Amino acid sequence: MKKSFPFINLQSAFTRNLLFFFILAALAWSYRYWEILFLRPSSVHQWRQTDCLSLADNYYEGEWNLFKPTLHLLFSDGETTGKSAGEFPILYYVVGILWKIFGKHEFIFRLLTIAISFAGMYALFRLAYALLKSFFWAMSTVILLFSSPIYAFYTNNFLINVPAFSLMLIALWYFYLFWQSGRNTQLYKALFFFAWVGLFKISTLMTLVVIGFIYASEVFGFLKFKRDGKVFKEPLKQGVAFGVMMAVVASWYLYTNHYNAVHGGKYTLNYIQSYWASSLDQIHSSLKSLRNFIVFQVLSIPTFLYLILCLCYLGMNFRKLDLVWKVAIPLFLIGYYCFVMLFFYSLDSHDYYHVDFLIVPIVIHLAFLHYLKKNETSWFHSGLTKLFFSAFLLYNVLYCANNMRMRYWGPGEKPMYTAQLIAPKIDVENWAYFHWVYRNKPYETVTPVLRSMGIKRSDAVVCPDDFSYSITLYLMDQKGWTNMETTLKDSLAIIDRVRHGAKYMMIADTAIKKVPFLVTFEQHELMNYQGLHIYDLRPFATSKK
């Protein structure tokens, strides 16, 4: 019996699966998941993390209507509620239920996203193994994905991007089964998961665009993807299934627009701001962020070079490629380019936007390996090739582990960082600066203190030093107002919030504390908690009239 490793029979599906999850757990351990699991929402994009947690928390606190998502921020219905909708909130709803059962613990949310991510990577592993018939190369595909800093970071996090991407991988696996068997039940399973992908993140449906192209090509007789027949043998029936799936996705976004129009609040920023509509300053800012930040978070530089070499090699042998790769690779590259050009602001520090398009390196990698398997078998099976690629993957894992450390704990002073053996100098400086300017630490632990002072969750507060929607409000678990979009720009804005029920003001940033119009409202300080100043605004309620 063929054995790929000493004493390990990889012909057994059980053994392969067991080894797969062992390697995945080892990678998670190397990324310090066991420590991160119990951290408060922190590091980069705390803004978006706390938006997600705020939605879950408000379900947990008693809003059990799935179709009425609510934030802590009182920016809807004349600044009296936090009702606002974006992505379909089923994940937040489930977290709210789990918190009711097991208690409010943020690690439950993290565990849920990890479980979904691992399920997605398992689907990718099965797909890669079915294509390549090699445990090593199938596992390499998963490690290539799981050593992407943005994928590893947002797997153990609260954002919806990795769950959406993971569900897309599961959908892709079922579509492969449909491709092989022609059974509509497999297609329906694929479309079921694609529907959830679209409800979570519409941009992650790029894979469905490729599938739609294959469908249209067969219907109109442009291309033939299978030698022994068609992929879609019942185009009318299968087309209706596609239509139903898209209608489900569209219905949610129509409802979202209606819900936000009725209540007046909108927390998502998914607007089109194309390259051509951006100012020169915006373009320079986005390109600078791409060069100095984004590129190091998506993949390591050696991985980018590997993918470029793969593309060049596949381009030179384009005529020998299977038709599906000839179609998929250009479409994914064009799709990613169109996304970036239409949402050009995504390059400006929004690393999580690019999780949706990690399918691009996966497809290039799989196409390259599939070509080698069919045309360069000596390379594909070579022990030297596998040894070299193992070293390459090890570097990627170390790179990712280092990135995770810097995101949460800063770069430190170890020689590994100062010598730039793992991280580029500019990336080290980025994370050092991020930790130096962080101002929200006291908000993370102040809630018990507030409750001991008699300040209830429903007692509205004002946070002039918070320019996000939810960071300080969620961390404190307080309803109220932040300075999002600089709405707290003068004393009249503060008085207006007092008229709407604001009782307290919180400021941690010393520079904001010295703003002249805010000094007026700092007359009644109740406490200084670790640099977080808590002021009583109730005496100013007499200004209502």
Side-chain angles (χ1 to χ4, degrees):
M1 183 175 285
K2 185 179 179 180
K3 295 181 180 181
S4 300
F5 291 91
F7 312 113
I8 299 178
N9 175 21
L10 291 179
Q11 301 302 109
S12 164
F14 176 79
T15 306
R16 289 196 303 269
N17 293 339
L18 193 63
L19 186 56
F20 166 81
F21 283 109
F22 174 80
I23 293 173
L24 225 56
L27 291 175
W29 179 85
S30 73
Y31 299 154
R32 301 175 71 171
Y33 272 23
W34 53 280
E35 288 184 69
I36 296 167
L37 200 61
F38 301 100
L39 296 179
R40 296 302 308 273
S42 54
S43 189
V44 67
H45 293 298
Q46 192 184 33
W47 176 329
R48 196 66 178 85
Q49 293 180 55
T50 51
D51 285 348
C52 299
L53 282 159
S54 180
L55 292 164
D57 192 34
N58 279 284
Y59 282 124
Y60 163 74
E61 289 291 342
E63 178 49 84
W64 288 111
N65 188 331
L66 175 64
F67 297 97
K68 292 185 178 180
T70 304
L71 294 168
H72 284 70
L73 178 68
L74 303 177
F75 69 145
S76 302
D77 299 305
E79 297 189 335
T80 61
T81 75
K83 292 181 178 180
S84 180
E87 61 271 11
F88 191 68
I90 187 65
L91 190 65
Y92 314 131
Y93 192 78
V94 170
V95 170
I97 293 173
L98 292 175
W99 282 354
K100 277 292 184 184
I101 298 171
F102 300 106
K104 183 183 173 182
H105 304 290
E106 289 164 352
F107 73 81
I108 292 175
F109 199 148
R110 291 187 189 269
L111 282 175
L112 185 58
T113 58
I114 290 172
I116 296 171
S117 175
F118 277 31
M121 285 189 281
Y122 178 62
L124 175 61
F125 170 73
R126 294 192 66 182
L127 174 61
Y129 187 83
L131 288 172
L132 306 173
K133 299 298 186 292
S134 164
F135 176 86
F136 176 86
W137 291 117
M139 196 70 231
S140 80
T141 307
V142 175
I143 295 174
L144 196 68
L145 171 64
F146 201 25
S147 59
S148 161
I150 53 173
Y151 192 83
F153 178 73
Y154 292 110
T155 284
N156 192 358
N157 210 275
F158 310 101
L159 274 66
I160 206 75
N161 300 72
V162 165
F165 186 87
S166 302
L167 292 174
M168 182 273 294
L169 293 176
I170 297 172
L172 203 54
W173 164 241
Y174 281 115
F175 182 75
Y176 172 80
L177 293 179
F178 163 71
W179 184 293
Q180 294 298 107
S181 67
R183 294 168 54 195
N184 282 336
T185 52
Q186 302 293 2
L187 176 63
Y188 299 154
K189 290 177 184 178
L191 293 176
F192 171 80
F193 282 103
F194 274 126
W196 284 112
V197 172
L199 290 169
F200 281 5
K201 277 292 175 185
I202 196 75
S203 54
T204 317
L205 279 181
M206 181 62 205
T207 305
L208 193 65
V209 173
V210 176
I211 293 173
F213 181 88
I214 294 172
Y215 173 83
S217 298
E218 284 198 340
V219 168
F220 295 105
F222 297 148
L223 299 170
K224 185 174 181 177
F225 289 86
K226 295 182 75 174
R227 294 178 182 177
D228 57 347
K230 292 186 175 182
V231 179
F232 297 96
K233 297 175 182 178
E234 301 176 87
L236 181 59
K237 184 177 182 180
Q238 293 157 344
V240 169
F242 274 101
V244 170
M245 187 278 295
M246 293 304 296
V248 169
V249 174
S251 64
W252 168 251
Y253 289 101
L254 288 173
Y255 174 76
T256 296
N257 288 335
H258 168 75
Y259 186 77
N260 290 338
V262 168
H263 297 289
K266 187 175 182 181
Y267 74 91
T268 52
L269 301 176
N270 295 330
Y271 54 88
I272 291 179
Q273 181 182 310
S274 70
Y275 170 84
W276 302 278
S278 302
S279 67
L280 283 177
D281 286 343
Q282 290 170 326
I283 291 172
H284 290 153
S285 177
S286 292
L287 291 177
K288 181 180 179 181
S289 174
L290 171 66
R291 182 178 66 251
N292 296 340
F293 179 72
I294 293 291
V295 69
F296 302 117
Q297 317 313 318
V298 177
L299 297 165
S300 70
I301 298 302
T303 303
F304 280 113
L305 295 175
Y306 163 71
L307 294 171
I308 291 170
L309 289 174
C310 287
L311 280 174
C312 292
Y313 186 81
L314 292 171
M316 290 187 295
N317 297 279
F318 191 75
R319 302 178 90 182
K320 295 182 182 180
L321 292 180
D322 285 6
L323 181 57
V324 67
W325 301 123
K326 292 179 180 178
V327 167
I329 293 175
L331 283 179
F332 277 122
L333 290 172
I334 292 169
Y336 194 12
Y337 172 79
C338 290
F339 173 83
V340 168
M341 297 305 286
L342 288 174
F343 299 90
F344 202 67
Y345 67 90
S346 70
L347 297 179
D348 201 350
S349 300
H350 292 87
D351 61 346
Y352 62 92
Y353 279 51
H354 301 270
V355 169
D356 306 342
F357 290 91
L358 287 173
I359 189 63
V360 178
I362 289 172
V363 167
I364 294 171
H365 174 70
L366 281 176
F368 175 67
L369 292 178
H370 192 249
Y371 177 85
L372 291 185
K373 177 179 177 289
K374 293 183 67 175
N375 301 281
E376 302 288 351
T377 55
S378 59
W379 285 18
F380 185 80
H381 295 292
S382 168
L384 188 61
T385 303
K386 292 178 180 179
L387 182 64
F388 176 79
F389 207 82
S390 296
F392 168 68
L393 291 176
L394 178 61
Y395 171 84
N396 277 344
V397 170
L398 291 173
Y399 178 86
C400 183
N402 178 42
N403 185 281
M404 292 287 284
R405 175 192 172 90
M406 292 194 298
R407 281 172 179 259
Y408 282 106
W409 295 283
E413 301 297 332
K414 292 185 177 181
M416 180 175 75
Y417 304 106
T418 55
Q420 301 163 44
L421 296 176
I422 301 296
K425 181 180 178 182
I426 186 66
D427 204 28
V428 173
E429 292 173 349
N430 284 335
W431 294 116
Y433 176 77
F434 180 84
H435 284 270
W436 180 64
V437 299
Y438 186 64
R439 297 280 187 269
N440 295 323
K441 203 67 181 175
Y443 287 104
E444 296 178 11
T445 55
V446 74
T447 306
V449 175
L450 298 179
R451 300 298 175 260
S452 69
M453 294 169 63
I455 300 176
K456 301 186 294 293
R457 181 179 189 269
S458 57
D459 290 335
V461 302
V462 176
C463 301
D465 59 349
D466 183 3
F467 296 92
S468 76
Y469 284 74
S470 305
I471 293 177
T472 55
L473 296 177
Y474 171 76
L475 291 176
M476 293 186 294
D477 194 17
Q478 290 292 147
K479 297 284 187 173
W481 298 271
T482 62
N483 202 5
M484 59 94 181
E485 299 175 2
T486 60
T487 48
L488 303 177
K489 57 186 178 181
D490 53 34
S491 58
L492 292 178
I494 304 296
I495 289 295
D496 180 67
R497 300 308 184 276
V498 172
R499 289 172 178 170
H500 280 87
K503 295 182 179 180
Y504 306 96
M505 182 171 69
M506 322 304 205
I507 302 178
D509 190 328
T510 53
I512 297 294
K513 184 177 179 293
K514 296 175 183 177
V515 171
F517 78 85
L518 288 175
V519 173
T520 304
F521 300 96
E522 297 170 7
Q523 300 174 28
H524 309 283
E525 183 168 355
L526 298 176
M527 178 178 285
N528 179 347
Y529 173 77
Q530 298 179 5
L532 172 60
H533 299 269
I534 304 170
Y535 302 100
D536 192 348
L537 293 181
R538 288 173 294 180
F540 297 94
T542 54
S543 303
K544 288 182 180 180
K545 299 180 182 180

